[in-house]
Amino acid sequence: MRIFWFIILGILVLGIIAWLATSNFTYEVALNTKPEAVEGAKWRSFILVIVSFIPVVALLTFYLYSTVLYKLLRIDHYENVFKLGNPWVWGVIIALIIEILIGLICGLISIPEKKFLLILTIIAFSGLGALFAILLYWIFTLFYSPQKVKYAPPFRWEIVGVFLRKLKGR
Amino acid sequence: MSCYAISIGGTGARCIESLIHLCAMGLGPKRLYILMIDPDEANYNVNRTQTLITRYLTLKKRLGLPSDSSDFPLFKTEITFSKDKNGQPIYLWTPVGEKKTLKTYFEFPRLPKEYKDLAKLLYTEGELELEWDQGFRGRASVGAPVMAGIAQKTADEPWYSLIQDIKETLNQDFAKLFIFATIFGATGASGFPTVAKILRDISEEWTNRGKFKIGGALLLPYFSYRIPPEKEKEIYARPEHFLLNAKTALSHYHFLWQHIPSPYDAIYLIGDQTMDSQGREFGEGGTKQKNSVHYIELLSALAALHFYQSESRAERENYQYYAGRNEESNIYWEDIPFSKEKELELEHQMLFFSSLAIAYLSFYSPLIRNPKFEEKWELTPWAADSFKKGSLSLRLAREEQKELAYYFCSYLKWLCEIHLSTDRDLKMLNKAALKIVLTSLTGTDDITEALTKDEFKEEINVEDNTFKNLLHPGARTYTPIKYGYDELWEMMCQMKEKPTTKKEVGGAGITETDSEIGKFVTGKLLLFLYTAIKRFCNKNYDLKIEEE
């Protein structure tokens, strides 16, 4: 079941990246957001990297969540049940860190003068990308979450649970 | 087929206690009619068994547990009993009425002189004036005439209903009656031949009398206690007399059944060479006479199950059974008769039920009682998928959960007593783990004190390492799962509700109305947990049970 979702979501991610690379979307974003002190081409490639990495980071985080993270919380005491939402939050933090790291690396490579304000702007943009990655990660977890933490992703119980109960006719 | 169990005396009552627990594990017959006989109405062991029967019945009724489900054998036995005029159950019958000494029983002052002399020849003055309200105090000869008096009381309850029930059963099938008694005490030894003979004599007039089978467990000496020096001169059951009592009683039965046939179709003689005193204290009867359950009593209850399950023929039979250990001081599962037989599977069922009790008391009960459980409902997938939100916290559900907790506490205490109140090294369940369970259950570290304590905590704290190591390491080669409760949680989360509308199937198909008021929801929880526990034990202890 889990592998099925990875294949579907993997194809989806690849499709999004392919669409980003071939469409005018990143060009339009770069045109409207470029800071004055940055070259247009560099900014466009930066935006392309950030936007392309959004689904990649989301899928990677989703993979980590559904294979490793949820297992890290051991239910060896009943009170740990109330912490079962934590692994999903760890996924959010991981997505945020990866995106910001991407922004930091891009900033340090593409801004040779080490203008901190500019680097901070780039990091802020990657932070914005992280928000989209987290949103995508949440959507992925709506489709699949391991049995142990089945309804741990926020609102999965309300959205999927209600849908499943409707299907069961209850 | 209907099964009947009669216990005579305090030890017999403890055998019935073991039998009830075996029924709770799912090993009992479909229907079991119970009656306890004891002159000491306040006897601690009798009261303890009465409480247990009440808990069993309440639990079965309140949880909506099924009587005939292959998926859920727990508590499947329908326990029944005689009732008085007001419809109140009679679990205990006392042969002692208003007349509480031999002198009043014989109406001594009105007896002709030759009978008075005969009575004085047979009994000492102390025995003739001995008060029976705390039992016959080790004097079987005092109890014998009182027990024989049952023959005049068969038209009264509880005997009337019992006899009618047997008679009705015989119209269709076999009726199997099993009697538990000790041979080394007074009540059991005096009642064992008499009760069986009275019932056998009554059955002689019935058309299907061949289908009425009587079996009995005769318990030979196996425990001891210390009598305080100040009581040395008084009349009490004395451990130093037990062996002599047993020898004399056996000789008497031999003499008795040499010329007239024994009323028994099968007798199980059960005992041990060691006289265990752990968890046994001297008491003058009543609530003071506290004795822990012993593994010999478990063997007696298993003997009853063996008798109930054995194939019977329509003519009288005469079997005697015995069992033995492979090693002198150790007892393994293999040494327990019938423990590996397919029909009983004691090892598996005891493991399942013990793990279930610990998981419930230590994890699932505290979980569902925690206020955060409802607040963070979605974090419990098995509940979110199969239970209505809030249904497990409703008043009725809470009451059901309390009943279940009470029963599991009684069970775990019994289990700990079986393993810890003998000098024999029982290599069945892990004694180290059971000591932790008992300590947590009673709140005391002193095992001797814990064995005599009867107040339990509703929740216990048993750590993962204890939970996954319940089976004695010497009993079977197994490598426990790394995280026991975690694995069980995963298995609980994989549980799928069976599509059924029948209420009988472990309460799984409870109606919307039941759910609204919290009725039977704990039964459904128990079904889920039991199924998950079975899978867990199969994996953890490498039981190699094929999943259905």
Side-chain angles (χ1 to χ4, degrees):
Chain A
M1 191 63 185
R2 191 161 58 190
I3 198 77
F4 169 76
W5 285 115
F6 277 119
I7 292 166
I8 296 285
L9 293 173
I11 292 167
L12 185 74
V13 167
L14 286 174
I16 293 170
I17 295 170
W19 173 74
L20 285 171
T22 52
S23 74
N24 237 7
F25 176 76
T26 49
Y27 175 76
E28 291 291 335
V29 174
L31 202 65
N32 293 313
T33 57
K34 186 184 85 64
E36 279 185 15
V38 186
E39 278 177 44
K42 270 190 178 176
W43 188 252
R44 197 188 158 191
S45 61
F46 165 70
I47 292 294
L48 184 68
V49 168
I50 288 291
V51 177
S52 303
F53 264 92
I54 288 172
V56 174
V57 169
L59 187 67
L60 180 72
T61 317
F62 172 60
Y63 176 77
L64 285 174
Y65 167 70
S66 54
T67 53
V68 181
L69 292 181
Y70 85 96
K71 285 183 184 167
L72 294 180
L73 190 83
R74 296 289 168 200
I75 311 292
D76 53 3
H77 192 270
Y78 74 92
E79 282 187 352
N80 288 350
V81 170
F82 307 122
K83 296 176 190 163
L84 275 173
N86 292 1
W88 190 87
V89 178
W90 300 338
V92 169
I93 295 166
I94 288 171
L96 193 70
I97 291 170
I98 295 174
E99 280 285 341
I100 286 174
L101 274 178
I102 292 166
L104 187 69
I105 293 163
C106 285
L108 290 174
I109 292 168
S110 57
I111 315 291
E113 298 89 0
K114 306 286 178 285
K115 289 177 184 166
F116 286 107
L117 201 64
L118 213 53
I119 291 170
L120 276 179
T121 313
I122 289 170
I123 289 171
F125 261 93
S126 57
L128 193 68
L131 288 183
F132 284 104
I134 290 163
L135 182 72
L136 208 55
Y137 161 61
W138 174 67
I139 293 169
F140 289 166
T141 56
L142 284 186
F143 282 95
Y144 173 79
S145 182
Q147 284 290 337
K148 182 177 164 182
V149 285
K150 196 173 173 186
Y151 298 118
F155 305 110
R156 189 170 197 263
W157 157 245
E158 285 81 356
I159 298 166
V160 181
V162 168
F163 178 70
L164 285 176
R165 279 192 298 281
K166 281 253 160 80
L167 268 184
K168 282 184 187 173
R170 286 163 45 163
Chain B
M1 184 185 70
S2 264
C3 300
Y4 303 82
I6 294 178
S7 73
I8 309 171
T11 308
R14 290 201 300 276
C15 296
I16 294 267
E17 182 183 349
S18 295
L19 187 61
I20 303 280
H21 285 307
L22 292 174
C23 290
M25 285 179 219
L27 299 170
K30 205 175 167 190
R31 182 174 182 268
L32 182 66
Y33 199 112
I34 286 178
L35 177 65
M36 291 186 281
I37 302 173
D38 202 306
D40 183 3
E41 282 182 278
N43 184 292
Y44 165 81
N45 290 115
V46 171
N47 282 331
R48 182 168 137 159
T49 307
Q50 284 194 88
T51 311
L52 187 74
I53 298 171
T54 313
R55 275 182 189 160
Y56 181 101
L57 294 168
T58 313
L59 196 64
K60 189 167 170 60
K61 190 179 167 192
R62 295 199 72 162
L63 267 60
L65 300 174
S67 292
D68 197 12
S69 164
S70 55
D71 291 341
F72 191 78
L74 305 188
F75 299 93
K76 71 172 183 196
T77 305
E78 287 290 343
I79 291 180
T80 187
F81 35 81
S82 300
K83 289 178 182 171
D84 65 13
K85 286 179 283 185
N86 305 318
Q88 293 301 309
I90 309 172
Y91 305 130
L92 170 69
W93 179 78
T94 172
V96 179
E98 293 299 307
K99 296 164 184 172
K100 291 193 171 174
T101 63
L102 270 183
K103 272 195 170 172
T104 51
Y105 186 76
F106 290 147
E107 296 179 340
F108 201 75
R110 290 158 69 182
L111 284 180
K113 188 180 177 298
E114 58 267 33
Y115 287 164
K116 276 184 189 169
D117 290 343
L118 181 64
K120 281 182 180 172
L121 184 71
L122 293 171
Y123 301 101
T124 65
E125 193 61 30
E127 286 170 342
L128 284 168
E129 287 176 2
L130 181 73
E131 295 263 351
W132 301 334
D133 48 0
Q134 289 175 342
F136 301 121
R137 302 200 189 183
R139 308 290 160 117
S141 56
V142 175
V146 186
M147 290 294 180
I150 293 173
Q152 276 89 53
K153 292 173 182 168
T154 49
D156 303 333
E157 293 296 355
W159 298 101
Y160 180 77
S161 295
L162 175 75
I163 292 164
Q164 287 307 311
D165 200 283
I166 295 171
K167 215 171 158 183
E168 277 168 32
T169 303
L170 288 176
N171 288 334
Q172 298 141 17
D173 209 342
F174 282 92
K176 291 189 166 186
L177 172 79
F178 199 84
I179 297 174
F180 298 100
T182 54
I183 200 167
F184 52 96
T187 315
S190 58
F192 189 76
T194 317
V195 173
K197 179 157 191 328
I198 291 167
L199 292 170
R200 178 63 74 198
D201 287 349
I202 292 170
S203 73
E204 291 301 327
E205 295 164 13
W206 301 341
T207 45
N208 290 324
R209 58 184 174 272
K211 286 182 174 177
F212 179 41
K213 302 289 172 191
I214 303 180
L218 202 46
L219 278 73
L220 307 171
Y222 61 92
F223 71 79
S224 174
Y225 46 80
R226 199 183 66 83
I227 295 182
E230 65 273 16
K231 303 278 183 191
E232 278 298 328
K233 298 257 156 87
E234 296 175 36
I235 297 179
Y236 288 111
R238 291 174 189 280
E240 62 266 29
H241 294 163
F242 285 174
L243 280 173
L244 190 64
N245 287 354
K247 192 185 169 196
T248 314
L250 282 172
S251 304
H252 174 65
Y253 296 164
H254 174 70
F255 170 76
L256 207 63
W257 295 331
Q258 213 171 14
H259 306 295
I260 47 160
S262 156
Y264 286 94
D265 294 277
I267 290 182
Y268 298 74
L269 289 149
I270 305 165
D272 199 337
Q273 295 97 323
T274 56
M275 302 284 267
D276 288 315
S277 57
Q278 174 94 310
R280 285 159 194 92
E281 289 173 3
F282 169 79
E284 292 175 24
T287 51
K288 290 177 191 165
Q289 198 183 333
K290 284 188 176 184
N291 289 323
S292 293
V293 182
H294 195 274
Y295 85 95
I296 288 292
E297 289 143 25
L298 170 67
L299 290 187
S300 308
L302 284 167
L305 294 187
H306 181 263
F307 176 71
Y308 295 147
Q309 292 185 3
S310 304
E311 271 187 45
S312 297
R313 287 172 296 172
E315 58 265 19
R316 288 292 309 282
E317 293 158 301
N318 203 345
Y319 294 112
Q320 283 182 54
Y321 292 95
Y322 68 92
R325 299 180 299 280
N326 284 315
E327 289 178 18
E328 195 180 334
S329 57
N330 300 327
I331 294 167
Y332 296 90
W333 285 107
E334 288 75 11
D335 299 324
I336 304 287
F338 340 120
S339 68
K340 299 276 183 186
E341 282 179 27
K342 208 186 167 197
E343 296 80 20
L344 287 175
E345 289 179 332
L346 176 72
E347 182 191 6
H348 292 176
Q349 284 309 121
M350 193 180 265
L351 203 50
F352 296 158
F353 203 69
S354 310
S355 303
L356 178 70
I358 292 173
Y360 181 78
L361 291 175
S362 180
F363 193 108
Y364 287 87
S365 174
L367 172 74
I368 54 183
R369 285 155 58 95
N370 195 298
K372 284 186 199 164
F373 178 67
E374 291 297 338
E375 286 168 29
K376 299 189 174 184
W377 175 254
E378 69 282 357
L379 295 181
T380 318
W382 52 266
D385 277 342
S386 305
F387 291 82
K388 203 176 171 75
K389 191 177 179 185
S391 63
L392 282 161
S393 307
L394 290 166
R395 187 180 57 83
L396 267 178
R398 285 270 189 259
E399 286 171 10
E400 289 173 2
Q401 285 150 24
K402 216 169 185 176
E403 292 293 340
L404 188 59
Y406 282 151
Y407 192 89
F408 280 149
C409 285
S410 312
Y411 169 76
L412 287 177
K413 176 80 193 315
W414 170 83
L415 188 72
C416 293
E417 284 179 14
I418 294 263
H419 282 79
L420 303 174
S421 75
T422 174
D423 293 335
R424 294 260 176 245
D425 194 2
L426 260 69
K427 293 186 188 294
M428 294 158 67
L429 295 192
N430 190 345
K431 281 167 95 167
L434 290 178
K435 276 182 187 168
I436 294 169
V437 171
L438 185 64
T439 303
S440 183
L441 198 64
T442 55
T444 172
D445 292 337
D446 182 353
I447 296 299
T448 313
E449 192 193 334
L451 282 172
T452 53
K453 234 178 156 184
D454 274 321
E455 284 160 12
F456 314 124
K457 292 180 177 177
E458 242 180 84
E459 287 167 12
I460 57 172
N461 185 16
V462 176
E463 288 182 2
D464 200 51
N465 197 40
T466 307
F467 172 66
K468 65 183 186 184
N469 282 297
L470 267 187
L471 191 63
H472 194 284
R476 180 185 283 272
T477 315
Y478 71 96
T479 314
I481 289 167
K482 208 170 176 187
Y483 304 101
Y485 284 127
D486 195 77
E487 187 73 26
L488 179 64
W489 180 264
E490 291 247 17
M491 286 166 177
M492 274 296 273
C493 294
Q494 285 159 12
M495 290 297 299
K496 295 268 187 300
E497 193 174 355
K498 285 195 173 178
T500 174
T501 51
K502 276 192 179 174
K503 198 178 286 180
E504 291 81 47
V505 188
I510 57 173
T511 63
E512 192 72 14
T513 327
D514 291 337
S515 225
E516 296 278 345
I517 56 169
K519 199 176 174 186
F520 303 138
V521 286
T522 308
K524 185 172 163 181
L525 169 69
L526 189 65
L527 171 70
F528 272 47
L529 194 53
Y530 175 68
T531 313
I533 281 282
K534 263 172 76 178
R535 285 183 195 158
F536 168 79
C537 289
N538 196 13
K539 190 174 172 186
N540 191 50
Y541 300 111
D542 196 21
L543 300 180
K544 296 185 175 70
I545 302 170
E546 280 180 34
E547 287 252 353
E548 285 167 19

